[in-house]
Amino acid sequence: MSEHRRGDRVRTSTVDPDHHTRLPAYARGKTGVVIGTDGVHPLADLRARGIEHPQQVYLVRFTAQELFGQGDHSVTLSLWEEYLSDE
């Protein structure tokens, strides 16, 4: 996993796990831009199973067009490093 910086384009994971995840289905496989950080927190997916795995959380902005196929607004999500890859 790499460290992302403000302005980096990132793509979200396409993995559809058989357990709870904090990556919304509508945001999987989508491209957005890092606009900041939101601290270092345990990955909620693993914490729910008793595993502590803290990692950086990023604020990632997506266009509504990218997420929903329409709209002229943007949506910002807090996403763990584990969900992101370089675009």
Side-chain angles (χ1 to χ4, degrees):
M1 309 243 173
S2 63
E3 180 177 319
H4 301 289
R5 298 180 187 276
R6 184 182 197 110
D8 285 353
R9 291 179 53 81
V10 293
R11 180 171 297 278
T12 59
S13 172
T14 58
V15 173
D16 185 13
D18 60 358
H19 55 77
H20 174 75
T21 182
R22 300 289 296 210
L23 176 59
Y26 66 82
R28 292 185 191 144
K30 304 298 182 173
T31 300
V33 176
V34 174
I35 61 169
T37 58
D38 202 14
V40 175
H41 304 281
L43 179 60
D45 304 16
L46 297 175
R47 192 175 206 188
R49 294 183 288 164
I51 303 167
E52 292 292 320
H53 182 65
Q55 56 184 262
Q56 183 66 56
V57 177
Y58 294 94
L59 297 170
V60 181
R61 181 169 291 152
F62 300 88
T63 65
Q65 185 71 33
E66 174 73 5
L67 294 179
F68 310 117
Q70 62 183 355
D72 59 359
H73 61 285
S74 63
V75 175
T76 301
L77 299 173
S78 293
L79 299 173
W80 277 261
E81 173 71 35
E82 182 120 338
Y83 302 146
L84 304 175
S85 62
D86 295 328
E87 171 58 12

